[in-house]
Amino acid sequence: MLFAANPGSMNAQRSKKVLFSSKSVTNSCARHTSPTAGLETNQARFWMGQGVDGKEVLNLRYEGTKVCLHGSDAHQAERLGVPDQDRFCWLKGDLTFETLRMACLSPETRAHIGPSDPMEGMRAGRIASVEVPNQDWFPQQGLRLNPGLVAIIGPRGSGKTALADVIAAGAGSTEPFANPQSFLARARRLLTGSVSRVTWTHGAGTSSDLANPDPSDPLNPNSVRYLSQQFVEQLCAADGVSDSLLAEIERVVFDSLDLGQRQGATDFQELLDIRLQASRDRQSDELSAIADLSERITTERILERTLGQKESERAGDTKTPQPSFRTDQGADERRHKGECRPIGRSNGGASGARDGA
């Protein structure tokens, strides 16, 4: 087992990777922390760069992260497979040395110490194996698939697309038959009697005739969605987000929701309308309130502009009107001085004015 010596020890600083037995690994871990239930977890986090020292420090001092392994260290038969405090060591992969090597390269994702399998919650609803019985062009023992990400690797023309089509058809997808460029569509006349059978991790099984598939049932949606290479290329061919790509994204989002979260909708757009209805109603109310407020503000501004004129008109209405007469200014002055000026004709008539006392 590959493991690093204790942090801070001189041996660790001189050595790169040290080979320990299961007991040595356990004891090496035990010297760092107190013997608690989370001891192995703390050690594993440290050597993955998630503790006091980050990955940069581990890369400088120990040339990278290390995998932390735990064994039962059984000295008696009844202790076999019974580690202390249920510290089971889980490695992702088959029981081969290659699995151990991959765990050393990627301890964060391929090694775990704990009472239960970290992949247990991810195994339900996964494809466990696929087979095409009684056909010499497919392995007779079938193909087993792990519950994680599966990559089909091979040169051009080796059958990568054919295998993907067979798996998709056996899982219940109808896309391989609808795509004229698929392996199943082009080789249909040669696939008479071929049946793809898929076994799921939860024990169920599905199958499909590769030459005469059953028509899809709209009331029974497919359990898988197959995105072929041609389909992906078609979606990504257009610049930006095309309508078909957007529709596919919306379909994936809608299909991922539980029935209770769909609120009775049959597609993404209908669900979107249902969820946005309350927001749209609130938006309509807010717009109506804004329009009413705007109208009131406009009215107030008009009244403010005409306020001065109204005040002037009101002030003019409250004053008492005074009569105006046109008088002779000179006569007014003479009356003030007590003088009197004869009026009438100036031809020596009898008309005259007499000074008043």
Side-chain angles (χ1 to χ4, degrees), residues 140-154:
Q140 295 300 309
Q141 70 277 14
L143 294 177
R144 294 177 58 242
L145 306 177
N146 68 60
L149 178 65
V150 178
I152 304 175
I153 303 174

Side-chain angles (χ1 to χ4, degrees), residues 77-145:
E78 58 271 16
R79 294 283 298 167
L80 289 174
V82 186
D84 294 337
Q85 300 178 357
D86 291 334
R87 298 173 188 167
F88 291 94
C89 184
W90 304 88
L91 298 181
K92 187 177 181 180
D94 297 329
L95 296 177
T96 62
F97 185 80
E98 180 66 15
T99 296
L100 179 59
R101 189 182 73 87
M102 295 300 297
C104 294
L105 297 176
S106 181
E108 300 93 332
T109 59
R110 307 192 71 89
H112 173 73
I113 296 177
S116 59
D117 183 359
M119 297 292 294
E120 189 64 32
M122 301 177 58
R123 297 188 187 279
R126 268 45 175 197
I127 298 176
S129 63
V130 59
E131 61 177 342
V132 182
N134 304 321
Q135 298 296 328
D136 54 5
W137 56 271
F138 200 87
Q140 295 300 309
Q141 70 277 14
L143 294 177
R144 294 177 58 242
L145 306 177

Side-chain angles (χ1 to χ4, degrees), residues 54-224:
K55 291 184 178 181
E56 295 79 6
V57 177
L58 295 182
N59 290 334
L60 292 175
R61 298 183 61 183
Y62 309 111
E63 295 191 355
T65 59
K66 311 298 180 208
V67 60
C68 190
L69 305 176
H70 186 278
S72 63
D73 192 21
H75 291 258
Q76 299 174 356
E78 58 271 16
R79 294 283 298 167
L80 289 174
V82 186
D84 294 337
Q85 300 178 357
D86 291 334
R87 298 173 188 167
F88 291 94
C89 184
W90 304 88
L91 298 181
K92 187 177 181 180
D94 297 329
L95 296 177
T96 62
F97 185 80
E98 180 66 15
T99 296
L100 179 59
R101 189 182 73 87
M102 295 300 297
C104 294
L105 297 176
S106 181
E108 300 93 332
T109 59
R110 307 192 71 89
H112 173 73
I113 296 177
S116 59
D117 183 359
M119 297 292 294
E120 189 64 32
M122 301 177 58
R123 297 188 187 279
R126 268 45 175 197
I127 298 176
S129 63
V130 59
E131 61 177 342
V132 182
N134 304 321
Q135 298 296 328
D136 54 5
W137 56 271
F138 200 87
Q140 295 300 309
Q141 70 277 14
L143 294 177
R144 294 177 58 242
L145 306 177
N146 68 60
L149 178 65
V150 178
I152 304 175
I153 303 174
R156 181 184 297 272
S158 60
K160 300 185 298 296
T161 301
L163 177 57
D165 287 354
V166 170
I167 296 174
S173 175
T174 59
E175 278 82 0
F177 305 103
N179 180 12
Q181 299 299 322
S182 69
F183 163 77
L184 298 183
R186 291 179 296 171
R188 178 171 298 183
R189 61 184 183 86
L190 303 175
L191 297 176
T192 303
S194 299
V195 177
S196 174
R197 295 179 180 175
V198 166
T199 302
W200 299 80
T201 53
H202 55 277
T206 56
S207 62
S208 176
D209 191 323
L210 299 181
N212 300 295
D214 296 330
S216 59
D217 185 1
L219 299 179
N220 185 21
N222 297 331
S223 55
V224 298

